[in-house]
Amino acid sequence: MNLSTLLPGLVLMSSFIPGLAIFFVPEERQRLRTALNMAGATLKLVLVAVLVWGVYHQETFRTELPLLPGMDLVLHADALSVLFVTLSSILWFLTTLYAVAYLEHSPQPRSRFFGFFSLCVTATIGIAMAGNLITFLIFYEALTLSTYPLVTHRGTAESMRAGAIYLVYTLVGGAILMVGVAWLAVLAGSVEFVEGGSLGLLSQTAVSELRVIFVLLVGGLGVKAALVPVHGWLPAAMVAPAPVSALLHAVAVVKAGAFGIVRVIYDVYGIGPAREMGVLDPLAWLAAATIIYGSLRALRQDELKKRLAYSTVSQVSYIALGCAVGGPVATLGGIVHLVHQGLMKITLFFCAGNIAETLGLHRISELKGVGRRMPLTMAAFTLGALGMIGVPPLAGFVSKWHLGSGGLATGQGWVVLVLAVSSLLNAAYFLPILHTAWFKTPEVSPEDGLARRWREAHWMLLLPPLVTALLAVLAGFLANAPFSPLGWSQLIVFREYRH
Amino acid sequence: MMVGDPLAWALWTILVPFAFALLVFLFPRCASHGAMAAAVGIGACSIAAVLGVLRHGPGRMAVGGWAVPLGIEIHLDGLSALMLATTALVGTVSTIYAVGYLAHAPLDGGDSAAPGSGRDHRALFMAVWLVLWGSLNALFLSSDLFNVYVTLELIGISSVVLISMAGAAQALTAAVRYLLVGLVGSLCYLAGIGLLYAAYGTLDFGLLSRASLAGHLPPMALALMTSGLLLKTALFPFHFWLPTAHGNAPAPVSAILSALVVKAPYYLLLRLWIDVLGGQITPESARLLGFLGTAAILWGAVQALLADRVKRLVAYSTVSQLGYLFLVFPLALEKSGGYFAWNGVAYFMLSHACAKASMFLAAGTLLLAAESDRIDHLDGISQCIPLPMFAFSIAAASLIGLPPSGGFMAKWLLLKSALIGGQWVTVVVILLGGLLTVAYFFRVFSRSFMSKPMIAACLSLPKGMHWSPLVLSLIALCLGLFASQILSLLQVGSPWTEGAPAWRRG
């Protein structure tokens, strides 16, 4: 027992144990609950920092637990998992801060909420560090289980309905994924995640089975990654409280699906064999269709959170697109977007939550003059929105640049076209929001004479979006620094394509 | 000495409950304490038996030194040790629950006003329950078809008494129906063993499995015994008696019936079909059982979707989940992969026992706290009894088969077996059953977690009634993480060596 065999387990436990403890905290002990939350989040950040340093220096971290004969529960840390773990733990820290301010005064049971909140992060960390397919599946389903109570937290008829839709989609997806995983286990035994693919000779002998299994796996994962036509749960789930939406859209659920697709393509099938099987092109087309479709739907929404939700449908598919197009550069664009989209989208959802919580506004048409009343919130929102559109040198631009040039490098010029159309559409649905908020004057009604006054959100609601907006800007400006998301993704891609 | 002879410890798991049943009957004042002491004793003996069998392997022992064919032998292997442990776990928690339940819900209707009668009923309840517990353990340890018959009768009669103690008219009807069904089942079974005894002069498991059975008689005997056991284990279409019986019995009794009692005849079927009389199975008969299992999964789920009360819904869920257990028979006939199915159903019995007992206990708390378990009256109930409803949802997650629950591991093993055998229909059925399970349990928690409380008053109940369902459901949830230990226990003396049961290799 030393650090290298314990650390992945410890990272997992740093949110699991506080999560369990929080369930037993009486409702009125707010300080104790917050202390547990923040202590867990801080400890996780420290542990993850150690992990990042170790993985950068080629150390291996691996925690194993026997599960079935010949099949272990494996948590390991390679470059890809560290990327996702770091993203999750930084965003968890900020979202916890935000959620405390957002929900601690609500009437619903808060211990239950924060308990499941921690379990949800635990499941995400487990997905990130899963060392084989069965471990991944276990945490993937645990994520469904722990997010359902968060989605339905408000307990209204509408949120219960959204919860039902969420369950139907994710559980059917989970069942399909399980068949794929079990089938692959029958063919190949315990399927480890290995850089460069782990199927070996099987990818030449059992091509037709592997094709079907690929469809099952990606079909199951695509539900959470919100690929069209199985994206329907995501817009419905936006009835959840703002911090939950933020986490769902930026790290937890949709990212779990996208991350799973990356794992399946690169660390199970291997990019070369997958290309030879001809399963990547259909996935790329599907991702492209999702990108366009999500943007088109987003255009028509007047409700701010719903527009953001359709925007997520569109943006998350960049990841699948980059991986399916293949080639080092496009892959780089896809993987780095995992981080960039997370930072930008969480900023947008935090801001939407602030506007709803402080001013009670939910529709875009109501946002007139909000920029003057909540300038800091709207500044963060603007940075996030411009990043999504891909204005250089913000984070979104870095992703799109690599995706586009990667497409050209592999001779798939249509990718550039898709990106261009998508960027135009992004501009078409984000710029009106900015215009309404900054440049339109609010209509002053007699009973609402204060509508022009400065009314910024509580500092705990304001700090997280400012920090994530800053991170998104830095990720773009300092893209070439060694520990930037792009720098780290280069390390991942280098290790994937070395084989 | 401590884990010296697992068989001695196993024998104590039969003797302790019977002895305490007598004590409790004679001294009704200390019924609760006596039952708790018995539970602790049986639990300790069961753990010792499990540890012993892991270390020393399977074994047989002649009780009192009288050897077969004259005496009674008990037989202990991994599967029976697992059943003992499951029974001890569910039994102990149910006993703790029952102590609180009996203090709050005077059984047998109106005459609780009479001084002392409540206590007498409590003593009777505990005594009969201990007899049932002892008989279950005896069944799991029997190595002789006639001893099995005796234990089956004891199980049936004590179950009838326990059901009828709810006192309501529906419960009495259910009890009588259960009694009649049990009798018919027993008669079929008895006829079957009569045929075997007439032809071969022995009913011992070991001797029968080694005897060269030929001709029409053994299949006929197996068919008779099987139909009797199917009736008792409530496989579709013989499930008609189960929802009324399990849905109207007192809560701890429902838990015991659904978690343990229906598993007893199934355990025997598994022994007979895969082990003792395995050579008599034809592919058609195995497929028939598999087909009935499939039908049970679907039909039970549809009825659960239509049920109007929580306990009835949970009872139909049992009908549906029992279907999974019968998928093993066609899978066991496949050239490879049957081993996984066998492990899978054993795992399934364990996790279903924990999850289903937890659900019935939670439903019992619900029924007492809200005075109704109608599903359309459930809105906001989890604010009144948060722990039991939380337990209910976790148990549901286990039955659905979400990881890391025991249900997930069981379904994983079954799925693997079906995939190896290329039985695609079974693959679809396994998954569809899980999704239907989501659908019917969702009816409960979509209402219970609503934030508007509709129940004006909420009865306060003993702590044990809040915690005991949670304990069982958490165990069910974590069972998937101990698969390697449980599977290595099952390996001890298992009929499957080198991937095939003994009769297939011979």
Side-chain angles (χ1 to χ4, degrees), chain A residues 429-448:
Chain A
Y429 63 76
F430 274 126
L431 290 180
I433 306 179
L434 302 183
H435 181 249
T436 313
W438 288 113
F439 299 113
K440 287 198 179 167
T441 43
E443 298 139 13
V444 184
S445 56
E447 71 268 24
D448 187 25

Side-chain angles (χ1 to χ4, degrees), chain B residues 406-453:
Chain B
F408 166 74
M409 207 42 87
K411 283 191 180 169
W412 171 268
L413 290 165
L414 279 172
L415 200 60
K416 196 168 172 187
S417 169
L419 283 167
I420 292 175
Q423 299 210 1
W424 294 101
V425 179
T426 312
V427 171
V428 173
V429 166
I430 291 171
L431 294 177
L432 191 63
L435 294 175
L436 285 169
T437 312
V438 182
Y440 58 75
F441 283 131
F442 188 74
R443 299 179 60 209
V444 176
F445 44 80
S446 69
R447 286 180 175 276
S448 67
F449 288 118
M450 282 213 178
S451 62
K452 267 202 171 166

Side-chain angles (χ1 to χ4, degrees), chain A residues 24 66-69 71 112 116 134 137-138 141 145 148 154-155 160 164 167 171 175 178-179 181-183 186, chain B residues 390 397 402-403 408-409 411-412 415-416 419-420 424 431 435 438 442 445-446 449-451 467 480 483-484 487:
Chain A
F24 298 98
L67 191 68
L68 278 170
M71 198 167 268
R112 190 182 81 192
F116 279 115
I134 179 113
L137 176 70
I138 287 177
E141 294 284 25
L145 201 62
Y148 171 74
R154 293 203 197 277
M160 297 314 287
L167 268 192
L171 288 176
M178 186 171 164
V179 179
V181 173
W183 197 353
V186 167
Chain B
F390 185 52
L402 289 178
F408 166 74
M409 207 42 87
K411 283 191 180 169
W412 171 268
L415 200 60
K416 196 168 172 187
L419 283 167
I420 292 175
W424 294 101
L431 294 177
L435 294 175
V438 182
F442 188 74
F445 44 80
S446 69
F449 288 118
M450 282 213 178
S451 62
W467 281 95
S484 54
L487 292 185

